[in-house]
Amino acid sequence: MCLLKLKPSCKDYIWGGHRLAEEYGKEYDGEVLAETWELSCHPDGPSYIANGKYAGQTLQQYIDAEGKEMLGTNCRRFRDFPILTKFIDARDNLSIQVHPDNRYALKNEGQYGKTEMWYVMDAGKEAYLYYGFKKEISKEEFARRIREDTLLEVLNAVPVQKGDVLFIESGTIHAIGKDILIAEIQQNSNITYRVYDYGRIGRDGKKRDLHIEKALAVTNRVPIVKDKRSYPHVADCDYFTVDKLNLDGNVMKKMEGSVSDLSFASILMLDGEGIIYNQGETLEFKKGDSFFLAAGSGTYTIEGSCDALITTIRAKAAPVHIGVDIGGAETKIGLVDIHQKLLASEVMETNANHPAEEIIREIGQRVLKLLDTQGISMDQCVGAGIGVPGTVDRKNGIVRYSNNICWEQVELAKEMGKYLPIPIRIANDADCAALGEAVAGAGRECQDVIMITLGTGVGGGIILDGEIYDGKGISGSEIGHMVIVEGGEPCTCGRKGCLEAYASATALNRDVKRAIGRDLPPEEVFEGAENGDAGLQKIVELYIRRLGVGIVNVVNIFRPQLVLLGGCISVQGETLLSPLREMMKEGCFGREKGQLPEIETATLGKEAGIIGAASLI
């Protein structure tokens, strides 16, 4: 079922009239009906489904039952349902107010900010509204005029008539004037900071609260230049695209539209009557009705006479992805564009001995600072991906266990969402590195890639059909913990004979120390072997042989197109690759009669984890 008729929640604010009940048929028994929330998943006023098997349930309950796919792929970047649609009947003047942007609202209010648009459905002859300032004023003057009740003197009063449209970005001071009927499409938020209210008394007998300090912090104090770039749409921004439909019932009495997999469609009937049908279902409409069509609904038809607003969600313009690669010693943060190019990055100490909440807060703050430094707004970011070592529950955004950073049952996605008001996805850090190489590095021409990271431990990631392979969605692959020598060297996981116990830099150093009694960095070990040191040659040959056994095992199971080596030991290049290729020829099932994968060195280095994490979104 894709075509839903919605029933609104009703609001009785003191400035409201009663036209929405009298003229638009809204079911309401009270004397004052100021607003009806026609399309809403907001807990302060949800809309309800009026038809079909979900009748009586909220729109959010329908989405929860059917899955967020009902909203479309363009909505994946939103943490919550993206918009809220209202009818507003202003019998009296609304308060002078302003709405914060996403970043301020999330930090201070725990929900999104608010950008909105108004379509004037009707207005009295002398009707006007306030929209921005007449002239630029200082913060000090703004505060003084609020205290002295002289703010109206510097506000821009705009006369309006039926059919006018205003786009109100967050931070724009504004107010609807009396005797105006409006359709409003806005971000899914209910945050308003009042700065002037005509001295009105609320139902409690007291003057209604003002929010002066918050308003001072978020208000844009320069005149607003009306933006006409939305053409051919009524309004167009990263949060919503609104189009106007007019059928006169004579010359134009039928319209066909299409709802693709990219976005749902909201249809708000401002006037008229007729029928709407989709996928064999037909519903009647009259003015004031609101309909929701799920993404992928296909062709729908409207017949009759109507004025209507059709709202969809488009792809974000110039999107930026945030990538975070958390390690035991350091955390790397980067901003990545749609071409998987790293725009900017920085490195911070992880401070793994600190509580998880502190580490997450510092990462979130550093991300926000990096965005500020680069002049990139949060609105431009479609989401953040985070790579983290250990056992990761990708579906629920939880780090089950990580010995590297001493985390257990940390709700990473939820906690990071307190600082970044965008979708958050997490994965194992080795999986992220593999994904980074697959989308932007040595494996960008391949769909099936296995990456083995040779560092302090042995990590690995498996990319099949361009996606991380992680079984049931928890932990990811643990290539380093396959046993290659039964009863062999102890491993950090508690078992014996794992690949990590033989092919890590730690294992190589152990073997060198046993042979010569002192530590040597990997590069000196390989250099000494190349220069003829018999003892080091023996160690290197055994190291490569053990690594080759692990690689052959993985290739026999997954049959990838490409095997990549990363980490500090991978810099040895052909010293490793040549003998490993020979081992694959001898050890892989089918040998050269089958299709052997290539084996190469990863190319992105420390950027792989950032780019891979960013690609989770």
Side-chain angles (χ1 to χ4, degrees), residues 189-419:
S189 172
N190 194 28
I191 302 173
T192 296
Y193 299 150
R194 285 192 295 268
V195 295
Y196 180 79
D197 196 38
Y198 305 93
R200 283 185 290 215
I201 305 299
R203 293 187 180 89
D204 59 1
K206 301 177 181 178
K207 285 187 176 182
R208 296 206 298 169
D209 290 337
L210 301 182
H211 314 94
I212 297 173
E213 291 304 317
K214 289 181 176 179
L216 290 173
V218 304
T219 302
N220 179 10
R221 301 182 308 279
V222 300
I224 303 300
V225 178
K226 189 174 181 182
D227 189 354
K228 299 180 180 179
R229 289 177 298 173
S230 61
Y231 179 84
H233 308 289
V234 172
D236 180 54
C237 64
D238 278 339
Y239 307 114
F240 48 77
T241 297
V242 183
D243 293 288
K244 176 78 182 301
L245 170 65
N246 175 256
L247 298 178
D248 62 9
N250 294 308
V251 178
M252 295 290 295
K253 58 182 179 182
K254 183 177 180 180
M255 187 279 294
E256 277 194 358
S258 182
V259 183
S260 73
D261 292 333
L262 297 177
S263 172
F264 68 87
S266 164
I267 303 177
L268 190 63
M269 299 297 182
L270 311 179
D271 204 353
E273 60 183 2
I275 60 172
I276 178 171
Y277 48 93
N278 168 254
Q279 294 190 7
E281 183 170 15
T282 301
L283 296 174
E284 295 182 351
F285 72 81
K286 63 182 184 304
K287 74 175 184 178
D289 283 344
S290 174
F291 297 91
F292 175 91
L293 287 97
S297 296
T299 300
Y300 66 91
T301 303
I302 299 175
E303 287 189 30
S305 63
C306 72
D307 284 332
L309 297 180
I310 302 175
T311 304
T312 55
I313 310 298
R314 63 159 168 77
K316 182 180 284 291
V320 171
H321 298 241
I322 298 167
V324 179
D325 183 11
I326 301 176
E330 63 181 27
T331 293
K332 297 177 282 295
I333 298 167
L335 308 177
V336 180
D337 68 12
I338 59 173
H339 305 293
Q340 286 82 43
K341 179 182 178 182
L342 190 62
L343 301 174
S345 64
E346 69 168 85
V347 179
M348 56 171 274
E349 290 186 22
T350 301
N351 295 317
N353 57 323
H354 290 188
E357 292 77 10
E358 289 185 15
I359 298 172
I360 295 167
R361 181 176 65 249
E362 184 177 1
I363 293 171
Q365 291 171 346
R366 294 288 285 266
V367 170
L368 294 174
K369 184 177 179 181
L370 182 61
L371 289 169
D372 280 344
T373 302
Q374 297 298 316
I376 296 173
S377 70
M378 181 60 67
D379 294 343
Q380 200 173 332
C381 299
V382 298
I386 306 174
V388 59
T391 302
V392 176
D393 180 348
R394 291 182 62 197
K395 181 178 180 181
N396 296 301
I398 298 172
V399 180
R400 298 295 186 191
Y401 176 72
S402 175
N403 64 318
N404 298 53
I405 50 178
C406 305
W407 285 7
E408 189 168 350
Q409 299 298 328
V410 174
E411 295 183 315
L412 176 55
K414 180 179 178 181
E415 287 296 314
M416 190 62 74
K418 295 178 181 179
Y419 309 99

Side-chain angles (χ1 to χ4, degrees), residues 17 81 116 142 230 266-267 329 349 397 491 527-528 542 544-545 553:
F81 189 78
E116 60 193 349
F142 186 24
S230 61
S266 164
I267 303 177
E349 290 186 22
C491 182
E527 183 179 352
L542 181 60
I544 294 174
R545 190 159 62 249
N553 287 342

